[in-house]
Amino acid sequence: MQINIKKTINTIVMVTLIITFLPGCKKENADNPDPIPVVDNSPVITGMSNTGALPNSVITITGSNLGSANVGATVTFNGVAATISSLSATEIVVTVPSTATTGKIAVTVGGKTVTSTSNFVVKTGNVTTLSTTYVEHLAVDAAGNIYGDASTAIYKITVGGVTTLFGGTVNTNVNNPIKSAWGIAVDTAGNLYLPDIRAYAIHKVSKTGVITRLAGNGTAGTLDGKDTAARFTYPKGIAIDKAGNLYVTDKYRVRKVTPAGVVSTLAGSGVKGDVNGQGTAAQFGELEGIAVDASGNVYVADLDYKRIRKITSAGVVSTLAGSGTAGFADGAGTSAQFFYPQGMAVDAAGNVFVSDGDFQSSYYAIRMINKNGVVSTFMKGSDAPVKTGPVNTATVNFPDGIAFDAAGNMYITNTGSGIVSKVTIN
């Protein structure tokens, strides 16, 4: 056999090179492993419960990597630090600072900051006089018309401020006269509802001014039931939910009246007291103002115990704000003080507004309670003539009724001067 020496030498060289090269490749891969992917844990904002709100309102910021109890987070509104009430990786509940101005919201977590893509609008208000007709309580229909009660009469105030006696003279109904209305509510169809403290009844007034009795028969009592089988002790404040159910403050109880006129007791034993609980296990002092929010929670003003109480749709009663001692202290929950809380209303953001006053010192105010129960003073006032202008300089005079229209504007009855003020929220 003839051997090709040249070819054999080339083959040996090639094999040697391959053997030499392979260990080098393995060593190089061991020294330089594939890089570990870098995870971006920067905070991300995906949404907000409100794109604008009044100072001291509570909003929710949603997103990812927003922090935790261990990592923490900070939030600023146009550079002003805000108070965080709850925090998770996907949600921050925060209060709009009282001194905040319109601008970007910034969230900082672990040294990394994300800024909202658009400005958050910090809303303000401007006060004007809508009407000089004396009314005590207010309700607003879907078209923005305002209705106010003045004992035995009802007035209608248009968006432009034109005031007329609603339905002519509504008290001429001989079979069912209004004796002393002490509140007013309006449903989506434009029907009005009036609690009457002297007729012990709830009146219904149609859009054309026709009066019928929805519940109660003119005799004082505390019976639940339908139509005239029900009895009321001292029906005062009234509010309506989106389903058309009415809620009425009745001395030491809160009563519920369905659109069909079926009356039940939502909460309160009927005995004066300051006790939280469910249904008739709860106790109240004398109740007046009442309001209901979009979720069906009911809020009542307790005149005797100087508190604002919250009642769920299941009748569970808790104290939203108020220490039980008369005063005008702002603050959280039971550290706040009210002097004589009366009219109430809830805005679209869930803030509860309360008219408050001290008759002896002639100091009055509109108080605001946010969803966390923190109380602040929205407007101040005295016995002096009502001042218009920005809310921080405008005044109220013995305010009582409060209502909001669909656009978020507020209306206030100044019973000390017979003026209905409009607060344009912008």
Side-chain angles (χ1 to χ4, degrees):
M1 177 184 294
Q2 216 175 23
I3 298 174
N4 190 327
I5 296 175
K6 184 177 180 180
K7 184 176 180 181
T8 301
I9 292 172
N10 289 339
T11 301
I12 293 171
V13 171
M14 185 176 294
V15 170
T16 301
L17 289 173
I18 291 172
I19 293 172
T20 304
F21 179 73
L22 286 175
C25 290
K26 291 179 181 178
K27 187 174 186 302
E28 183 179 351
N29 288 339
D31 291 341
N32 299 283
D34 291 337
I36 299 173
V38 177
V39 178
D40 185 3
N41 59 357
S42 299
V44 176
I45 297 174
T46 58
M48 290 181 283
S49 59
N50 304 75
T51 56
L54 290 167
N56 299 311
S57 298
V58 174
I59 72 162
T60 301
I61 302 170
T62 54
S64 58
N65 302 322
L66 296 179
S68 65
N70 294 329
V71 177
T74 60
V75 178
T76 61
F77 286 73
N78 200 20
V80 180
T83 300
I84 295 173
S85 53
S86 67
L87 172 67
S88 71
T90 57
E91 183 177 280
I92 299 177
V93 179
V94 63
T95 299
V96 181
S98 59
T99 58
T101 55
T102 295
K104 299 290 194 297
I105 293 179
V107 177
T108 302
V109 180
K112 298 180 179 180
T113 300
V114 62
T115 304
S116 61
T117 56
S118 59
N119 285 339
F120 181 88
V121 179
V122 178
K123 296 184 177 182
T124 60
N126 188 69
V127 182
T128 55
T129 296
L130 181 68
S131 173
T132 56
T133 300
Y134 177 89
V135 292
E136 294 182 343
H137 310 98
L138 295 172
V140 185
D141 69 14
N145 297 303
I146 298 163
Y147 301 88
D149 63 290
S151 187
T152 60
I154 307 168
Y155 291 92
K156 177 181 179 180
I157 308 170
T158 68
V159 176
V162 177
T163 305
T164 56
L165 189 62
F166 179 65
T169 305
V170 295
N171 204 37
T172 57
N173 186 321
V174 176
N175 296 321
N176 187 31
I178 298 173
K179 294 182 178 180
S180 184
W182 206 273
I184 190 166
V186 59
D187 65 18
T188 54
N191 300 300
L192 304 180
Y193 301 89
L194 308 169
D196 193 324
I197 59 175
R198 290 181 55 214
Y200 311 107
I202 309 300
H203 303 291
K204 178 178 180 179
V205 186
S206 72
K207 291 188 294 184
T208 57
V210 177
I211 305 172
T212 54
R213 186 167 290 180
L214 179 66
N217 74 346
T219 302
T222 58
L223 292 178
D224 290 337
K226 187 176 181 181
D227 302 333
T228 56
R231 301 285 188 274
F232 294 89
T233 300
Y234 199 62
K236 295 179 81 173
I238 190 168
I240 189 168
D241 67 15
K242 58 186 178 183
N245 297 299
L246 299 168
Y247 300 89
V248 181
T249 53
D250 189 22
K251 196 67 172 182
Y252 306 134
R253 289 183 172 91
V254 178
R255 316 290 290 280
K256 179 179 178 179
V257 187
T258 70
V262 177
V263 180
S264 60
T265 298
L266 178 66
S269 67
V271 177
K272 181 180 176 180
D274 186 19
V275 179
N276 291 326
Q278 184 166 13
T280 55
Q283 292 182 335
F284 303 97
E286 184 178 336
L287 301 175
E288 184 166 327
I290 187 168
V292 60
D293 67 18
S295 300
N297 298 302
V298 177
Y299 304 88
V300 292
D302 191 321
L303 301 180
D304 289 327
Y305 295 105
K306 318 300 181 186
R307 299 187 195 273
I308 305 302
R309 314 284 285 280
K310 177 181 178 179
I311 312 169
T312 69
S313 57
V316 178
V317 179
S318 60
T319 298
L320 179 66
S323 68
T325 303
F328 287 98
D330 291 339
T334 54
S335 68
Q337 291 180 322
F338 297 88
F339 197 92
Y340 196 80
Q342 296 187 91
M344 301 178 67
V346 183
D347 70 6
N351 298 306
V352 179
F353 289 81
V354 183
S355 58
D356 196 5
D358 178 353
F359 317 119
Q360 295 178 343
S361 65
S362 300
Y363 179 83
Y364 305 105
I366 302 296
R367 316 290 294 280
M368 173 179 146
I369 313 170
N370 68 24
K371 291 190 291 185
N372 288 338
V374 178
V375 179
S376 58
T377 298
F378 181 72
M379 287 180 66
K380 298 179 181 180
S382 67
D383 274 341
V386 169
K387 292 181 181 178
T388 57
V391 290
N392 60 336
T393 58
T395 61
V396 290
N397 182 350
F398 202 160
D400 193 347
I402 308 175
F404 285 92
D405 65 17
N409 300 303
M410 178 193 295
Y411 300 89
I412 304 167
T413 60
N414 295 277
T415 58
S417 56
I419 287 175
V420 178
S421 294
K422 177 180 180 180
V423 185
T424 303
I425 306 297
N426 47 43

